[in-house]
PDB file of all heavy atoms in Angstrom:
ATOM      1  N   ALA A 280       3.210   7.846   9.373  1.00 93.00           N
ATOM      2  CA  ALA A 280       4.486   7.284   9.705  1.00 93.00           C
ATOM      3  C   ALA A 280       5.095   6.641   8.463  1.00 93.00           C
ATOM      4  O   ALA A 280       4.458   5.869   7.780  1.00 93.00           O
ATOM      5  CB  ALA A 280       4.348   6.231  10.803  1.00 93.00           C
ATOM      6  N   LEU A 281       6.361   7.013   8.169  1.00 94.00           N
ATOM      7  CA  LEU A 281       7.088   6.428   7.048  1.00 94.00           C
ATOM      8  C   LEU A 281       7.793   5.181   7.533  1.00 94.00           C
ATOM      9  O   LEU A 281       8.812   5.274   8.238  1.00 94.00           O
ATOM     10  CB  LEU A 281       8.036   7.457   6.448  1.00 94.00           C
ATOM     11  CG  LEU A 281       8.767   7.054   5.150  1.00 94.00           C
ATOM     12  CD1 LEU A 281       7.786   6.665   4.057  1.00 94.00           C
ATOM     13  CD2 LEU A 281       9.701   8.164   4.705  1.00 94.00           C
ATOM     14  N   LEU A 282       7.260   3.997   7.215  1.00 93.00           N
ATOM     15  CA  LEU A 282       7.748   2.759   7.700  1.00 93.00           C
ATOM     16  C   LEU A 282       8.840   2.136   6.803  1.00 93.00           C
ATOM     17  O   LEU A 282       8.849   2.406   5.610  1.00 93.00           O
ATOM     18  CB  LEU A 282       6.624   1.752   7.851  1.00 93.00           C
ATOM     19  CG  LEU A 282       5.413   2.195   8.678  1.00 93.00           C
ATOM     20  CD1 LEU A 282       4.343   1.101   8.720  1.00 93.00           C
ATOM     21  CD2 LEU A 282       5.829   2.584  10.100  1.00 93.00           C
ATOM     22  N   GLY A 283       9.683   1.336   7.406  1.00 92.00           N
ATOM     23  CA  GLY A 283      10.665   0.623   6.650  1.00 92.00           C
ATOM     24  C   GLY A 283      12.054   1.280   6.615  1.00 92.00           C
ATOM     25  O   GLY A 283      12.906   0.850   5.816  1.00 92.00           O
ATOM     26  N   LEU A 284      12.284   2.265   7.465  1.00 93.00           N
ATOM     27  CA  LEU A 284      13.555   2.944   7.541  1.00 93.00           C
ATOM     28  C   LEU A 284      14.327   2.532   8.793  1.00 93.00           C
ATOM     29  O   LEU A 284      13.766   1.918   9.686  1.00 93.00           O
ATOM     30  CB  LEU A 284      13.361   4.455   7.517  1.00 93.00           C
ATOM     31  CG  LEU A 284      12.641   5.019   6.304  1.00 93.00           C
ATOM     32  CD1 LEU A 284      12.353   6.508   6.511  1.00 93.00           C
ATOM     33  CD2 LEU A 284      13.494   4.822   5.038  1.00 93.00           C
ATOM     34  N   ARG A 285      15.603   2.917   8.850  1.00 91.00           N
ATOM     35  CA  ARG A 285      16.426   2.635  10.044  1.00 91.00           C
ATOM     36  C   ARG A 285      16.136   3.620  11.168  1.00 91.00           C
ATOM     37  O   ARG A 285      16.732   3.516  12.254  1.00 91.00           O
ATOM     38  CB  ARG A 285      17.886   2.650   9.696  1.00 91.00           C
ATOM     39  CG  ARG A 285      18.328   1.491   8.788  1.00 91.00           C
ATOM     40  CD  ARG A 285      19.820   1.219   8.909  1.00 91.00           C
ATOM     41  NE  ARG A 285      20.577   2.332   8.386  1.00 91.00           N
ATOM     42  CZ  ARG A 285      21.081   2.411   7.131  1.00 91.00           C
ATOM     43  NH1 ARG A 285      20.838   1.425   6.315  1.00 91.00           N
ATOM     44  NH2 ARG A 285      21.760   3.441   6.763  1.00 91.00           N
ATOM     45  N   GLY A 286      15.292   4.605  10.913  1.00 91.00           N
ATOM     46  CA  GLY A 286      14.901   5.571  11.939  1.00 91.00           C
ATOM     47  C   GLY A 286      13.445   5.949  11.743  1.00 91.00           C
ATOM     48  O   GLY A 286      12.803   5.571  10.763  1.00 91.00           O
ATOM     49  N   THR A 287      12.897   6.659  12.703  1.00 92.00           N
ATOM     50  CA  THR A 287      11.496   7.057  12.677  1.00 92.00           C
ATOM     51  C   THR A 287      11.301   8.378  11.918  1.00 92.00           C
ATOM     52  O   THR A 287      11.953   9.352  12.200  1.00 92.00           O
ATOM     53  CB  THR A 287      10.983   7.229  14.138  1.00 92.00           C
ATOM     54  OG1 THR A 287      11.098   6.003  14.833  1.00 92.00           O
ATOM     55  CG2 THR A 287       9.517   7.700  14.129  1.00 92.00           C
ATOM     56  N   VAL A 288      10.357   8.371  10.975  1.00 95.00           N
ATOM     57  CA  VAL A 288      10.040   9.547  10.219  1.00 95.00           C
ATOM     58  C   VAL A 288       8.518   9.706  10.160  1.00 95.00           C
ATOM     59  O   VAL A 288       7.813   8.732   9.912  1.00 95.00           O
ATOM     60  CB  VAL A 288      10.605   9.461   8.745  1.00 95.00           C
ATOM     61  CG1 VAL A 288      10.139  10.656   7.943  1.00 95.00           C
ATOM     62  CG2 VAL A 288      12.094   9.392   8.784  1.00 95.00           C
ATOM     63  N   VAL A 289       8.027  10.899  10.440  1.00 94.00           N
ATOM     64  CA  VAL A 289       6.590  11.203  10.355  1.00 94.00           C
ATOM     65  C   VAL A 289       6.443  12.339   9.362  1.00 94.00           C
ATOM     66  O   VAL A 289       7.097  13.360   9.450  1.00 94.00           O
ATOM     67  CB  VAL A 289       5.991  11.582  11.733  1.00 94.00           C
ATOM     68  CG1 VAL A 289       4.596  12.131  11.561  1.00 94.00           C
ATOM     69  CG2 VAL A 289       6.032  10.388  12.685  1.00 94.00           C
ATOM     70  N   VAL A 290       5.517  12.138   8.400  1.00 94.00           N
ATOM     71  CA  VAL A 290       5.266  13.154   7.376  1.00 94.00           C
ATOM     72  C   VAL A 290       3.909  13.810   7.687  1.00 94.00           C
ATOM     73  O   VAL A 290       2.866  13.148   7.693  1.00 94.00           O
ATOM     74  CB  VAL A 290       5.205  12.509   5.984  1.00 94.00           C
ATOM     75  CG1 VAL A 290       4.988  13.614   4.900  1.00 94.00           C
ATOM     76  CG2 VAL A 290       6.485  11.729   5.679  1.00 94.00           C
ATOM     77  N   ALA A 291       3.942  15.094   8.019  1.00 92.00           N
ATOM     78  CA  ALA A 291       2.707  15.839   8.298  1.00 92.00           C
ATOM     79  C   ALA A 291       2.186  16.408   7.011  1.00 92.00           C
ATOM     80  O   ALA A 291       2.903  16.567   6.012  1.00 92.00           O
ATOM     81  CB  ALA A 291       3.035  16.932   9.291  1.00 92.00           C
ATOM     82  N   HIS A 292       0.875  16.765   7.023  1.00 87.00           N
ATOM     83  CA  HIS A 292       0.238  17.366   5.863  1.00 87.00           C
ATOM     84  C   HIS A 292       0.895  18.715   5.569  1.00 87.00           C
ATOM     85  O   HIS A 292       1.265  19.458   6.441  1.00 87.00           O
ATOM     86  CB  HIS A 292      -1.244  17.522   6.132  1.00 87.00           C
ATOM     87  CG  HIS A 292      -2.074  17.757   4.888  1.00 87.00           C
ATOM     88  ND1 HIS A 292      -2.088  18.964   4.211  1.00 87.00           N
ATOM     89  CD2 HIS A 292      -2.883  16.931   4.185  1.00 87.00           C
ATOM     90  CE1 HIS A 292      -2.857  18.876   3.167  1.00 87.00           C
ATOM     91  NE2 HIS A 292      -3.366  17.656   3.119  1.00 87.00           N
ATOM     92  N   GLY A 293       1.013  19.028   4.291  1.00 86.00           N
ATOM     93  CA  GLY A 293       1.662  20.277   3.887  1.00 86.00           C
ATOM     94  C   GLY A 293       1.002  21.520   4.462  1.00 86.00           C
ATOM     95  O   GLY A 293       1.665  22.519   4.680  1.00 86.00           O
ATOM     96  N   SER A 294      -0.311  21.456   4.657  1.00 86.00           N
ATOM     97  CA  SER A 294      -1.058  22.645   5.175  1.00 86.00           C
ATOM     98  C   SER A 294      -1.164  22.654   6.681  1.00 86.00           C
ATOM     99  O   SER A 294      -1.940  23.400   7.244  1.00 86.00           O
ATOM    100  CB  SER A 294      -2.424  22.685   4.540  1.00 86.00           C
ATOM    101  OG  SER A 294      -3.183  21.528   4.908  1.00 86.00           O
ATOM    102  N   SER A 295      -0.370  21.810   7.338  1.00 89.00           N
ATOM    103  CA  SER A 295      -0.472  21.664   8.785  1.00 89.00           C
ATOM    104  C   SER A 295      -0.291  22.970   9.562  1.00 89.00           C
ATOM    105  O   SER A 295       0.721  23.660   9.368  1.00 89.00           O
ATOM    106  CB  SER A 295       0.530  20.651   9.326  1.00 89.00           C
ATOM    107  OG  SER A 295       0.313  19.346   8.835  1.00 89.00           O
ATOM    108  N   PRO A 296      -1.243  23.325  10.451  1.00 92.00           N
ATOM    109  CA  PRO A 296      -1.036  24.431  11.337  1.00 92.00           C
ATOM    110  C   PRO A 296      -0.165  24.027  12.509  1.00 92.00           C
ATOM    111  O   PRO A 296       0.252  22.871  12.627  1.00 92.00           O
ATOM    112  CB  PRO A 296      -2.439  24.827  11.796  1.00 92.00           C
ATOM    113  CG  PRO A 296      -3.167  23.489  11.781  1.00 92.00           C
ATOM    114  CD  PRO A 296      -2.569  22.742  10.610  1.00 92.00           C
ATOM    115  N   ALA A 297       0.109  24.948  13.411  1.00 94.00           N
ATOM    116  CA  ALA A 297       1.018  24.672  14.517  1.00 94.00           C
ATOM    117  C   ALA A 297       0.535  23.515  15.384  1.00 94.00           C
ATOM    118  O   ALA A 297       1.375  22.691  15.805  1.00 94.00           O
ATOM    119  CB  ALA A 297       1.136  25.929  15.398  1.00 94.00           C
TER     120      ALA A 297
END
Side-chain angles (χ1 to χ4, degrees):
L281 186 57
L282 306 179
L284 301 172
R285 291 201 295 263
T287 299
V288 175
V289 170
V290 183
H292 197 285
S294 62
S295 295

